[in-house]
Amino acid sequence: MSNSNPELAALGKVGMMRQTQPDYYVMRLKAVGGDLSSGQLARIAEVAERYGRGGVHLSTRQGVEIHYVRSQDLEPARIALAEAGVEMGACGPRVRSIVACPGSETCRLGVIDTKPIARELDARYFKQEMPSKFKLAVTGCSSNCTKANENDIGVRGAIEPLWEPASCTDCGLCVSFCPVSAIGRRDGEGSGGEFRYESDEESCINCSVCSSLCPSGAWVVGRKGYTVLIGGTMGRIPRFASVLKRIVESDEELYALIEASIRCYREHGLKKERFGHMIDRIGLENIKEEIIEQAELPRVEKY
Amino acid sequence: MSRQNYLVSKSIDVRGVSCPVNAVRAKQAIAALSDDELIEVIVDAGESLIRVVRSINDAGFKIITSHPLENAVAIVVSRVNTAGRPQ
């Protein structure tokens, strides 16, 4: 934004919103995955002090907002923030800031490294125009701290457990600690006629409790990857996301599915219609089929 | 083949005790065992069970077997981890 006195209509595109109070504006700042350096925080504090009223508002999408900025101060404030590498957020029918939990880098429960994915999604899609607002979240495991199923696209770390009979001491604890009672013990059904433990694929939430808690290490991670969720929203008409694919093992497939989902929404989504409501209008199975088919096609474009 | 029974010499009931005190009490009781003793730890099912089991594993104690009770689980534990925990 080189214009020092930007048009009001254009403000939303760059993360600035009018307040209730005449001539006061909100500056919405971007923090991908909730990350800001101490230097950036110091600059935000300076700008809030100089151009706002010395306070900030922490948004629900891990961002920071500076309130009570006058219109003539928006551009100098933006420049001061940009100098410290603090970018403006997004408003309106666009891809919003990408939310992410700390993930496996620091969290003991994390199954996937969330931050690089959040940064990649930010680089690919942030601020792009969409039929309605569009939110993406990455969460490291089924604890779901960043609420992947409340976002238009959610990526959640997931494992598929595998039972290794040779290590099993038949302590039975897995049957008790599985949070969704997906694990059962079958007597006389093993290969040699002895016991067997199994996890029901349908009810398993791919959470890694069994593989991380099994006292004898008999439950191990069979497959590890991402659960991709589509169509979540917690707006006026809430809708939990639907599972597009339960375990995606490669980054390549992950990004192909997300790209195909976004293309599908751009093609079929009505103005102001959220992705999830579009899915309900057209039918989940049709949409899933289209997205998965599109994701499998080779793409000429290179990012 | 059915699950084995073990001779347990001690018992501690941490039902109704909130995290992390339930795990701390269980670990103290396990640490006080002799090498050939087994203790039964009775813990609430759900999140408490997960926290207590994680804590017992992390401390290097050995869970031998378990029995489901009503809304709770009895875990049989030894202090020494002779088998080790493959990971």
Side-chain angles (χ1 to χ4, degrees):
Chain A
M1 196 171 65
S2 56
N3 190 346
S4 63
N5 192 9
E7 292 287 327
L8 187 66
L11 287 174
K13 285 187 184 174
V14 293
M16 298 175 187
M17 292 165 290
R18 276 174 95 169
Q19 279 185 209
T20 311
Q21 297 81 0
D23 202 40
Y24 281 112
Y25 290 81
V26 171
M27 297 184 78
R28 176 178 286 174
L29 314 181
K30 179 173 91 170
V32 179
D35 286 342
L36 291 165
S37 69
S38 51
Q40 290 172 329
L41 283 169
R43 180 58 62 93
I44 291 168
E46 278 169 34
V47 169
E49 186 74 29
R50 182 160 175 202
Y51 298 109
R53 288 189 178 173
V56 298
H57 170 76
L58 298 178
S59 82
T60 55
R61 290 192 71 75
Q62 302 180 320
V64 178
E65 290 178 354
I66 302 173
H67 292 197
Y68 290 102
V69 182
R70 289 189 180 275
S71 61
Q72 68 268 24
D73 292 334
L74 289 171
E75 189 59 7
R78 187 193 68 79
I79 290 166
L81 291 163
E83 282 168 359
V86 179
E87 291 175 48
M88 298 304 300
C91 313
R94 288 170 195 92
V95 175
R96 307 298 182 85
S97 278
I98 318 296
V99 167
C101 73
S104 61
E105 187 189 331
T106 51
C107 179
R108 291 208 305 160
L109 301 174
V111 172
I112 57 164
D113 196 7
T114 53
K115 296 296 175 71
I117 300 168
R119 288 192 287 266
E120 180 65 29
L121 293 174
D122 175 70
R124 289 184 184 212
Y125 301 115
F126 181 63
K127 266 186 188 168
Q128 285 193 10
E129 303 278 334
M130 301 293 270
S132 182
K133 62 175 74 167
F134 202 83
K135 301 177 178 179
L136 297 104
V138 188
T139 197
C141 72
S142 62
S143 298
N144 199 20
C145 293
T146 48
K147 319 296 178 212
N149 55 343
E150 297 178 8
N151 280 260
D152 295 276
I153 292 181
V155 177
R156 188 174 66 200
I159 68 112
E160 190 177 79
L162 179 73
W163 180 66
E164 293 190 328
S167 310
C168 185
T169 58
D170 198 16
C171 77
L173 198 53
C174 53
V175 177
S176 298
F177 63 49
C178 173
V180 289
S181 305
I183 297 177
R185 181 186 188 278
R186 308 275 174 268
D187 222 347
E189 285 186 22
S191 51
E194 66 287 351
F195 68 93
R196 183 163 65 94
Y197 284 86
E198 60 184 23
S199 172
D200 177 52
E201 222 173 278
E202 280 307 301
S203 38
C204 175
I205 54 168
N206 310 98
C207 75
S208 85
V209 162
C210 58
S211 57
S212 68
L213 283 193
C214 174
S216 59
W219 279 108
V220 296
V221 175
R223 294 199 300 152
K224 188 174 101 166
Y226 316 106
T227 296
V228 180
L229 301 134
I230 53 168
T233 172
M234 280 291 124
R236 289 190 189 90
I237 310 161
R239 180 193 189 277
F240 271 145
S242 314
V243 175
L244 176 63
K245 195 160 178 185
R246 199 181 262 259
I247 305 240
V248 173
E249 286 181 277
S250 76
D251 286 9
E252 196 187 2
E253 190 187 358
L254 172 71
Y255 293 121
L257 285 169
I258 292 171
E259 173 66 18
S261 300
I262 286 175
R263 278 167 185 263
C264 171
Y265 178 45
R266 281 187 172 142
E267 195 180 326
H268 304 298
L270 306 173
K271 206 177 172 198
K272 293 205 169 180
E273 179 184 48
R274 290 292 290 269
F275 189 25
H277 303 139
M278 181 206 94
I279 291 170
D280 289 341
R281 175 170 56 81
I282 297 171
L284 177 63
E285 289 313 311
N286 294 338
I287 293 292
K288 273 169 73 169
E289 199 177 311
E290 180 182 324
I291 291 171
I292 288 168
E293 197 182 297
Q294 286 296 314
E296 283 167 359
L297 293 176
R299 291 260 168 236
V300 187
E301 298 97 316
K302 200 87 189 127
Y303 294 99
Chain B
M1 183 176 138
S2 64
R3 302 249 312 280
Q4 287 172 268
N5 285 313
Y6 291 85
L7 201 61
V8 171
S9 54
K10 284 181 178 155
S11 181
I12 180 170
D13 188 345
V14 292
R15 279 178 292 188
V17 181
S18 57
C19 298
V21 180
N22 49 10
V24 172
R25 286 194 194 158
K27 284 195 287 184
Q28 282 174 342
I30 299 163
L33 297 176
S34 63
D35 283 4
D36 55 355
E37 271 183 316
L38 294 176
I39 191 170
E40 175 190 61
V41 179
I42 302 171
V43 56
D44 288 313
E47 195 61 29
S48 291
L49 174 68
I50 290 173
R51 296 281 292 266
V52 169
V53 169
R54 199 181 295 281
S55 206
I56 289 171
N57 285 341
D58 287 352
F61 302 132
K62 183 71 187 167
I63 294 171
I64 307 291
T65 191
S66 70
H67 306 282
L69 307 170
E70 200 175 334
N71 299 321
V73 180
I75 315 166
V76 176
V77 191
S78 73
R79 187 177 63 83
V80 284
N81 187 355
T82 43
R85 193 163 176 265
Q87 193 80 156

